[in-house]
Amino acid sequence: MVDLTPNRGMTPIVQTIAGWTKGLVFLFGIYIVLFGHITPGGGFAGGVILALTFVLMTLCCGKESALRKMPMHIAAELDSVGALMFLVIAWLGVWSILGGTFFTNYIAKWNRGLPYHILSSGTIPLCNIAIAVKVAVSLFLVFTLLVMTRVIHKPNE
Amino acid sequence: MLELTGVLLLFMVMAAIIAIETKDLLGAVISVTAVGFGSIIAFFYLRAPDVAIVPIVVEVVVLVILIRATLRAGLKTFIGNRPFFGYLVTVALLVVIFLAGIRVFGGLPAFGDPVVARIPDAPARAYIESGLEDTGATNVVTAVLLDYRAYDTLGEATVLFTSIVGAVAILRRKARKKPSDPEADEW
Protein backbone atom coordinates (compact mmCIF):
# COMPACT_ATOMS: atom_id res chain seq x y z
CA MET A 1 0.00 0.00 0.00
CA VAL A 2 0.99 3.62 -0.45
CA ASP A 3 1.46 5.97 2.49
CA LEU A 4 0.12 9.47 1.86
CA THR A 5 0.63 11.11 5.27
CA PRO A 6 2.13 14.62 4.99
CA ASN A 7 5.82 15.04 5.60
CA ARG A 8 6.23 17.32 8.63
CA GLY A 9 9.84 18.34 8.05
CA MET A 10 12.85 18.87 10.27
CA THR A 11 13.63 20.97 13.38
CA PRO A 12 13.14 24.79 13.45
CA ILE A 13 16.94 25.32 13.36
CA VAL A 14 17.25 23.50 10.05
CA GLN A 15 14.13 25.21 8.67
CA THR A 16 15.45 28.70 9.52
CA ILE A 17 18.89 28.10 7.99
CA ALA A 18 17.28 26.56 4.91
CA GLY A 19 15.02 29.59 4.59
CA TRP A 20 18.05 31.88 4.55
CA THR A 21 20.11 29.81 2.12
CA LYS A 22 17.50 28.72 -0.42
CA GLY A 23 17.41 32.15 -2.09
CA LEU A 24 21.19 32.24 -2.36
CA VAL A 25 21.27 28.75 -3.87
CA PHE A 26 18.58 29.78 -6.38
CA LEU A 27 20.59 32.91 -7.32
CA PHE A 28 23.72 30.79 -7.78
CA GLY A 29 21.79 28.48 -10.10
CA ILE A 30 20.60 31.46 -12.18
CA TYR A 31 24.21 32.73 -12.34
CA ILE A 32 25.48 29.34 -13.53
CA VAL A 33 22.80 29.30 -16.26
CA LEU A 34 23.21 32.88 -17.49
CA PHE A 35 27.04 32.82 -17.52
CA GLY A 36 27.24 29.33 -19.05
CA HIS A 37 28.84 30.66 -22.25
CA ILE A 38 31.52 32.61 -20.33
CA THR A 39 32.49 30.53 -17.29
CA PRO A 40 32.23 26.78 -16.53
CA GLY A 41 28.65 25.71 -16.09
CA GLY A 42 25.68 25.78 -18.39
CA GLY A 43 22.06 24.83 -18.64
CA PHE A 44 22.31 21.31 -17.23
CA ALA A 45 24.41 22.12 -14.13
CA GLY A 46 22.44 25.30 -13.41
CA GLY A 47 19.15 23.50 -13.82
CA VAL A 48 20.17 20.82 -11.33
CA ILE A 49 21.13 23.56 -8.82
CA LEU A 50 17.73 25.23 -9.33
CA ALA A 51 16.06 21.86 -8.67
CA LEU A 52 18.18 21.46 -5.52
CA THR A 53 16.49 24.50 -3.93
CA PHE A 54 13.13 22.77 -4.24
CA VAL A 55 14.66 19.54 -2.91
CA LEU A 56 15.99 21.56 0.06
CA MET A 57 12.52 23.00 0.72
CA THR A 58 10.92 19.55 0.45
CA LEU A 59 13.39 17.95 2.86
CA CYS A 60 13.38 20.75 5.45
CA CYS A 61 9.85 22.14 5.50
CA GLY A 62 7.80 19.28 4.09
CA LYS A 63 6.55 18.82 0.57
CA GLU A 64 3.65 21.29 0.96
CA SER A 65 5.97 24.32 1.06
CA ALA A 66 7.68 23.30 -2.17
CA LEU A 67 4.40 22.39 -3.85
CA ARG A 68 2.97 25.79 -2.89
CA LYS A 69 5.75 27.50 -4.87
CA MET A 70 5.65 25.01 -7.77
CA PRO A 71 2.43 22.96 -8.09
CA MET A 72 2.66 19.68 -9.94
CA HIS A 73 0.51 20.63 -12.94
CA ILE A 74 2.52 23.83 -13.50
CA ALA A 75 5.75 21.80 -13.20
CA ALA A 76 4.54 19.31 -15.79
CA GLU A 77 3.66 22.16 -18.18
CA LEU A 78 6.98 23.95 -17.62
CA ASP A 79 8.79 20.70 -18.46
CA SER A 80 7.19 20.65 -21.90
CA VAL A 81 7.67 24.42 -22.33
CA GLY A 82 11.41 24.08 -21.78
CA ALA A 83 11.73 21.28 -24.32
CA LEU A 84 9.58 23.26 -26.81
CA MET A 85 11.69 26.41 -26.32
CA PHE A 86 14.83 24.46 -27.23
CA LEU A 87 13.18 22.99 -30.33
CA VAL A 88 11.74 26.37 -31.44
CA ILE A 89 15.17 28.02 -31.13
CA ALA A 90 16.60 25.19 -33.25
CA TRP A 91 13.77 25.27 -35.83
CA LEU A 92 14.01 29.04 -36.37
CA GLY A 93 17.35 28.36 -38.07
CA VAL A 94 15.57 26.39 -40.81
CA TRP A 95 13.94 29.65 -41.97
CA SER A 96 15.96 30.57 -45.05
CA ILE A 97 16.37 34.26 -44.10
CA LEU A 98 18.09 33.25 -40.86
CA GLY A 99 20.35 30.50 -42.10
CA GLY A 100 18.62 27.55 -43.73
CA THR A 101 19.83 24.73 -41.51
CA PHE A 102 18.70 23.22 -38.23
CA PHE A 103 20.54 24.63 -35.17
CA THR A 104 22.14 27.55 -37.03
CA ASN A 105 23.47 30.17 -34.64
CA TYR A 106 21.62 32.91 -36.54
CA ILE A 107 22.10 35.63 -33.90
CA ALA A 108 25.86 35.08 -33.86
CA LYS A 109 25.95 35.39 -37.66
CA TRP A 110 24.25 38.76 -37.41
CA ASN A 111 26.02 40.08 -34.31
CA ARG A 112 28.39 38.01 -32.18
CA GLY A 113 28.63 40.55 -29.40
CA LEU A 114 31.72 41.36 -27.36
CA PRO A 115 33.56 38.40 -25.81
CA TYR A 116 33.16 38.01 -22.03
CA HIS A 117 29.85 39.91 -22.14
CA ILE A 118 26.57 38.32 -21.15
CA LEU A 119 24.87 39.45 -24.38
CA SER A 120 27.15 37.54 -26.73
CA SER A 121 27.40 34.26 -28.64
CA GLY A 122 23.93 34.37 -30.17
CA THR A 123 21.52 31.55 -29.41
CA ILE A 124 23.76 29.77 -26.86
CA PRO A 125 22.42 31.64 -23.77
CA LEU A 126 18.83 31.15 -24.98
CA CYS A 127 19.43 27.40 -25.35
CA ASN A 128 21.01 27.37 -21.89
CA ILE A 129 17.90 28.97 -20.37
CA ALA A 130 15.59 26.49 -22.14
CA ILE A 131 17.64 23.47 -20.99
CA ALA A 132 17.82 24.85 -17.44
CA VAL A 133 14.02 25.21 -17.19
CA LYS A 134 13.58 21.69 -18.52
CA VAL A 135 16.19 20.01 -16.28
CA ALA A 136 15.16 21.87 -13.11
CA VAL A 137 11.48 21.01 -13.44
CA SER A 138 12.20 17.41 -14.49
CA LEU A 139 14.36 16.67 -11.44
CA PHE A 140 11.85 18.40 -9.16
CA LEU A 141 9.08 16.21 -10.62
CA VAL A 142 11.04 12.98 -10.14
CA PHE A 143 12.06 13.87 -6.58
CA THR A 144 8.54 14.87 -5.56
CA LEU A 145 7.07 11.70 -7.06
CA LEU A 146 9.64 9.51 -5.27
CA VAL A 147 8.97 11.30 -1.96
CA MET A 148 5.18 11.28 -2.30
CA THR A 149 4.67 7.66 -3.26
CA ARG A 150 6.22 5.46 -0.64
CA VAL A 151 5.56 1.76 -0.77
CA ILE A 152 5.28 0.19 2.66
CA HIS A 153 5.71 -3.52 3.16
CA LYS A 154 3.55 -4.88 5.94
CA PRO A 155 4.67 -8.16 7.44
CA ASN A 156 2.19 -11.07 7.81
CA GLU A 157 -0.16 -9.83 5.13
CA MET B 1 50.93 12.85 -10.58
CA LEU B 2 51.15 9.14 -11.30
CA GLU B 3 51.03 8.23 -7.59
CA LEU B 4 47.90 10.33 -7.11
CA THR B 5 46.26 8.60 -10.06
CA GLY B 6 47.07 5.22 -8.52
CA VAL B 7 45.69 6.20 -5.11
CA LEU B 8 42.54 7.59 -6.72
CA LEU B 9 42.05 4.46 -8.82
CA LEU B 10 42.57 2.22 -5.76
CA PHE B 11 40.04 4.28 -3.78
CA MET B 12 37.45 4.02 -6.55
CA VAL B 13 37.95 0.26 -6.97
CA MET B 14 37.65 -0.28 -3.20
CA ALA B 15 34.49 1.84 -3.02
CA ALA B 16 32.97 -0.07 -5.92
CA ILE B 17 33.73 -3.43 -4.27
CA ILE B 18 32.21 -2.20 -0.98
CA ALA B 19 29.12 -0.98 -2.85
CA ILE B 20 28.58 -4.42 -4.34
CA GLU B 21 29.44 -6.56 -1.35
CA THR B 22 27.93 -4.66 1.58
CA LYS B 23 24.66 -5.86 3.12
CA ASP B 24 23.61 -2.33 4.08
CA LEU B 25 21.63 -0.42 1.44
CA LEU B 26 22.61 3.01 2.80
CA GLY B 27 26.27 2.03 2.82
CA ALA B 28 25.99 0.83 -0.78
CA VAL B 29 24.43 4.14 -1.87
CA ILE B 30 27.19 6.17 -0.17
CA SER B 31 29.90 3.92 -1.69
CA VAL B 32 28.48 4.44 -5.19
CA THR B 33 28.60 8.20 -4.59
CA ALA B 34 32.22 7.85 -3.41
CA VAL B 35 33.10 6.27 -6.77
CA GLY B 36 31.48 9.24 -8.51
CA PHE B 37 33.38 11.78 -6.43
CA GLY B 38 36.64 9.96 -7.19
CA SER B 39 35.99 10.46 -10.90
CA ILE B 40 35.18 14.14 -10.21
CA ILE B 41 38.62 14.60 -8.56
CA ALA B 42 40.18 12.95 -11.62
CA PHE B 43 38.37 15.46 -13.88
CA PHE B 44 39.70 18.35 -11.79
CA TYR B 45 43.27 17.04 -12.13
CA LEU B 46 42.72 16.83 -15.88
CA ARG B 47 41.82 20.58 -15.74
CA ALA B 48 38.25 20.02 -16.91
CA PRO B 49 36.07 22.00 -14.46
CA ASP B 50 33.26 22.21 -17.00
CA VAL B 51 32.97 18.42 -17.09
CA ALA B 52 33.38 18.14 -13.30
CA ILE B 53 30.67 20.61 -12.31
CA VAL B 54 27.83 18.53 -13.79
CA PRO B 55 28.74 15.27 -11.94
CA ILE B 56 29.06 17.21 -8.65
CA VAL B 57 25.49 18.51 -8.71
CA VAL B 58 24.10 15.29 -10.21
CA GLU B 59 25.87 13.17 -7.56
CA VAL B 60 24.34 15.32 -4.80
CA VAL B 61 20.82 15.02 -6.26
CA VAL B 62 21.17 11.29 -6.87
CA LEU B 63 22.52 10.76 -3.35
CA VAL B 64 19.57 12.61 -1.82
CA ILE B 65 17.03 10.79 -4.02
CA LEU B 66 18.58 7.36 -3.41
CA ILE B 67 18.84 7.85 0.37
CA ARG B 68 15.26 9.08 0.42
CA ALA B 69 14.11 6.17 -1.76
CA THR B 70 16.05 3.44 0.06
CA LEU B 71 15.59 4.53 3.68
CA ARG B 72 11.85 5.07 3.65
CA ALA B 73 10.79 2.39 1.21
CA GLY B 74 11.48 -0.53 3.52
CA LEU B 75 13.34 -2.41 0.82
CA LYS B 76 14.97 -5.67 1.74
CA THR B 77 18.36 -6.90 0.62
CA PHE B 78 18.57 -10.28 -0.98
CA ILE B 79 21.41 -12.35 0.41
CA GLY B 80 22.11 -15.52 -1.48
CA ASN B 81 24.98 -17.91 -2.09
CA ARG B 82 26.68 -17.63 -5.42
CA PRO B 83 27.05 -20.95 -7.21
CA PHE B 84 30.49 -22.31 -8.05
CA PHE B 85 29.95 -21.79 -11.77
CA GLY B 86 29.25 -18.10 -11.13
CA TYR B 87 32.60 -17.73 -9.34
CA LEU B 88 34.32 -19.46 -12.26
CA VAL B 89 32.75 -17.10 -14.82
CA THR B 90 33.62 -14.06 -12.69
CA VAL B 91 37.28 -15.05 -12.35
CA ALA B 92 37.54 -15.83 -16.08
CA LEU B 93 36.00 -12.46 -17.00
CA LEU B 94 38.37 -10.63 -14.63
CA VAL B 95 41.42 -12.37 -16.14
CA VAL B 96 40.29 -11.54 -19.69
CA ILE B 97 39.62 -7.89 -18.83
CA PHE B 98 43.01 -7.64 -17.04
CA LEU B 99 44.93 -9.09 -20.01
CA ALA B 100 43.04 -6.91 -22.51
CA GLY B 101 43.60 -3.87 -20.30
CA ILE B 102 47.38 -4.38 -20.31
CA ARG B 103 47.36 -4.39 -24.12
CA VAL B 104 45.04 -1.35 -24.37
CA PHE B 105 46.89 0.81 -21.83
CA GLY B 106 50.12 0.38 -23.78
CA GLY B 107 48.66 2.34 -26.67
CA LEU B 108 46.92 5.08 -24.71
CA PRO B 109 48.56 8.49 -24.13
CA ALA B 110 49.69 9.32 -20.60
CA PHE B 111 47.19 10.52 -17.97
CA GLY B 112 46.49 14.22 -18.51
CA ASP B 113 48.14 14.32 -21.94
CA PRO B 114 45.60 15.73 -24.42
CA VAL B 115 45.19 14.09 -27.82
CA VAL B 116 45.06 17.56 -29.40
CA ALA B 117 48.73 18.11 -28.60
CA ARG B 118 49.81 14.91 -30.36
CA ILE B 119 47.63 14.81 -33.49
CA PRO B 120 47.79 17.97 -35.63
CA ASP B 121 44.58 17.25 -37.56
CA ALA B 122 42.38 16.55 -34.54
CA PRO B 123 38.91 18.14 -34.81
CA ALA B 124 39.23 19.48 -31.26
CA ARG B 125 42.02 21.76 -32.46
CA ALA B 126 39.61 23.50 -34.85
CA TYR B 127 37.11 24.02 -32.01
CA ILE B 128 39.76 25.55 -29.74
CA GLU B 129 41.27 27.78 -32.42
CA SER B 130 38.12 29.10 -34.14
CA GLY B 131 35.48 28.65 -31.43
CA LEU B 132 35.54 32.28 -30.31
CA GLU B 133 35.42 33.66 -33.86
CA ASP B 134 32.62 31.32 -34.94
CA THR B 135 30.27 31.56 -31.97
CA GLY B 136 31.45 34.39 -29.74
CA ALA B 137 31.36 32.14 -26.67
CA THR B 138 34.50 32.26 -24.54
CA ASN B 139 33.65 28.90 -22.93
CA VAL B 140 34.65 26.47 -25.67
CA VAL B 141 32.83 23.55 -24.01
CA THR B 142 29.49 25.38 -24.22
CA ALA B 143 30.29 26.41 -27.80
CA VAL B 144 30.79 22.75 -28.71
CA LEU B 145 27.73 21.57 -26.78
CA LEU B 146 25.23 24.13 -28.07
CA ASP B 147 26.64 25.20 -31.43
CA TYR B 148 28.93 22.67 -33.12
CA ARG B 149 27.31 19.57 -31.68
CA ALA B 150 23.86 20.82 -30.69
CA TYR B 151 22.29 17.66 -32.14
CA ASP B 152 23.89 15.66 -29.32
CA THR B 153 22.42 18.05 -26.76
CA LEU B 154 19.01 17.71 -28.39
CA GLY B 155 19.29 13.93 -28.11
CA GLU B 156 20.30 14.22 -24.48
CA ALA B 157 17.32 16.48 -23.75
CA THR B 158 15.03 14.01 -25.55
CA VAL B 159 16.34 11.12 -23.43
CA LEU B 160 15.74 13.12 -20.25
CA PHE B 161 12.24 14.17 -21.36
CA THR B 162 11.25 10.60 -22.28
CA SER B 163 12.52 9.19 -18.98
CA ILE B 164 10.67 11.87 -16.99
CA VAL B 165 7.43 11.16 -18.88
CA GLY B 166 7.85 7.45 -18.10
CA ALA B 167 8.56 8.10 -14.42
CA VAL B 168 5.57 10.42 -14.07
CA ALA B 169 3.30 7.90 -15.79
CA ILE B 170 4.44 5.04 -13.54
CA LEU B 171 4.65 6.87 -10.21
CA ARG B 172 1.46 8.97 -10.29
CA ARG B 173 -0.94 8.48 -7.47
CA LYS B 174 -4.05 7.29 -9.28
CA ALA B 175 -4.90 6.08 -12.73
CA ARG B 176 -7.15 8.12 -14.95
CA LYS B 177 -10.58 6.56 -15.19
CA LYS B 178 -12.56 8.89 -17.41
CA PRO B 179 -11.72 12.24 -18.98
CA SER B 180 -14.84 13.77 -17.41
CA ASP B 181 -13.89 12.59 -13.91
CA PRO B 182 -13.14 15.72 -11.81
CA GLU B 183 -10.65 13.79 -9.70
CA ALA B 184 -8.75 12.54 -12.73
CA ASP B 185 -6.55 15.63 -12.91
CA GLU B 186 -5.38 15.26 -9.34
CA TRP B 187 -1.77 14.05 -8.98
Side-chain angles (χ1 to χ4, degrees):
Chain A
M1 65 175 286
V2 175
D3 181 23
L4 293 174
T5 53
N7 182 16
R8 278 173 297 280
M10 295 186 182
T11 60
I13 300 171
V14 179
Q15 290 188 4
T16 311
I17 300 293
W20 292 346
T21 50
K22 71 188 177 198
L24 294 175
V25 176
F26 200 83
L27 268 182
F28 181 64
I30 291 173
Y31 160 77
I32 289 277
V33 172
L34 288 185
F35 285 74
H37 56 295
I38 300 169
T39 53
F44 198 85
V48 180
I49 294 172
L50 293 181
L52 271 173
T53 58
F54 291 103
V55 171
L56 184 73
M57 285 165 70
T58 311
L59 287 181
C60 296
C61 312
K63 63 171 182 283
E64 283 79 18
S65 71
L67 284 178
R68 215 178 301 131
K69 292 266 170 29
M70 175 79 75
M72 293 290 270
H73 59 97
I74 290 179
E77 279 157 14
L78 268 180
D79 194 4
S80 311
V81 164
L84 263 181
M85 264 173 71
F86 192 38
L87 269 181
V88 164
I89 290 166
W91 265 110
L92 277 178
V94 180
W95 198 15
S96 58
I97 301 167
L98 292 174
T101 48
F102 200 56
F103 269 120
T104 317
N105 199 339
Y106 37 87
I107 302 178
K109 276 185 180 172
W110 166 59
N111 185 5
R112 274 206 318 266
L114 290 169
Y116 297 103
H117 281 65
I118 190 166
L119 287 177
S120 67
S121 68
T123 55
I124 292 178
L126 301 174
C127 290
N128 266 334
I129 292 169
I131 293 172
V133 169
K134 209 201 112 35
V135 169
V137 171
S138 300
L139 282 172
F140 170 70
L141 268 178
V142 162
F143 181 76
T144 313
L145 285 170
L146 282 175
V147 168
M148 269 169 60
T149 56
R150 291 199 295 253
V151 181
I152 293 173
H153 292 284
K154 281 193 175 176
N156 306 324
E157 221 177 71
Chain B
M1 193 69 191
L2 201 63
E3 295 81 15
L4 186 124
T5 317
V7 169
L8 207 60
L9 203 62
L10 201 68
F11 169 73
M12 285 167 68
V13 168
M14 279 168 59
I17 291 173
I18 291 171
I20 294 169
E21 291 297 328
T22 183
K23 304 285 185 291
D24 186 18
L25 264 183
L26 185 61
V29 167
I30 291 171
S31 303
V32 167
T33 319
V35 177
F37 274 105
S39 69
I40 288 164
I41 295 171
F43 280 133
F44 270 120
Y45 269 93
L46 292 169
R47 298 187 185 87
D50 225 318
V51 187
I53 198 169
V54 175
I56 288 176
V57 285
V58 172
E59 288 285 344
V60 171
V61 169
V62 165
L63 181 67
V64 170
I65 288 179
L66 281 180
I67 285 179
R68 197 72 192 188
T70 53
L71 275 189
R72 296 298 187 88
L75 296 173
K76 283 173 187 160
T77 50
F78 293 98
I79 304 161
N81 289 322
R82 232 176 258 166
F84 177 71
F85 184 69
Y87 272 113
L88 211 64
V89 170
T90 311
V91 169
L93 269 178
L94 278 179
V95 168
V96 167
I97 289 171
F98 181 73
L99 290 178
I102 287 175
R103 289 295 296 271
V104 167
F105 275 109
L108 281 180
F111 187 72
D113 184 22
V115 185
V116 191
R118 303 169 97 225
I119 304 169
D121 294 335
R125 185 179 287 274
Y127 296 150
I128 292 169
E129 279 171 356
S130 62
L132 185 57
E133 287 87 50
D134 284 352
T135 65
T138 46
N139 186 0
V140 184
V141 177
T142 311
V144 171
L145 277 179
L146 289 175
D147 191 293
Y148 291 111
R149 295 189 173 253
Y151 273 106
D152 289 349
T153 312
L154 182 65
E156 184 193 350
T158 311
V159 167
L160 188 66
F161 186 74
T162 316
S163 60
I164 298 302
V165 167
V168 169
I170 290 170
L171 289 173
R172 65 184 167 180
R173 204 185 288 175
K174 56 176 76 172
R176 280 178 194 226
K177 292 169 196 163
K178 291 173 195 167
S180 59
D181 193 358
E183 289 185 355
D185 282 334
E186 196 183 319
W187 284 74

